[in-house]
């Protein structure tokens, strides 16, 4: 299953079921995941992990 089909199914779910309140939560999770992945090997990692 491709990533594009997963995103299209998620979009269809949000549109049909009118679950627009999930968009900010999903956006926050994606940004948080990206932040953790991008700073995994950097000197900023101890400071970011200290937040949580």
């Amino acid at each position: 299953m491709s990533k594009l089909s997963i995103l299209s199914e998620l979009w269809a779910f949000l549109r049909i079921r009118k679950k627009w309140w999930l968009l900010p939560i999903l956006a926050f999770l994606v940004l948080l995941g990206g932040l953790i992945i991008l700073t995994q090997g950097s000197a900023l990692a101890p400071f970011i992990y200290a937040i949580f």
Side-chain angles (χ1 to χ4, degrees):
M1 186 179 243
S2 71
K3 292 180 184 179
L4 186 59
S5 68
I6 292 172
L7 291 176
S8 65
E9 285 185 30
L10 178 63
W11 176 248
F13 171 78
L14 292 174
R15 197 179 69 232
I16 292 169
R17 305 268 189 205
K18 308 275 194 259
K19 301 285 185 187
W20 300 116
W21 56 271
L22 284 173
L23 283 177
I25 296 169
L26 292 173
F28 177 74
L29 288 175
V30 167
L31 288 174
L32 183 63
L35 180 67
I36 290 173
I37 289 171
L38 290 175
T39 60
Q40 195 170 17
S42 73
L44 294 175
F47 300 109
I48 291 173
Y49 290 125
I51 294 172
F52 305 106

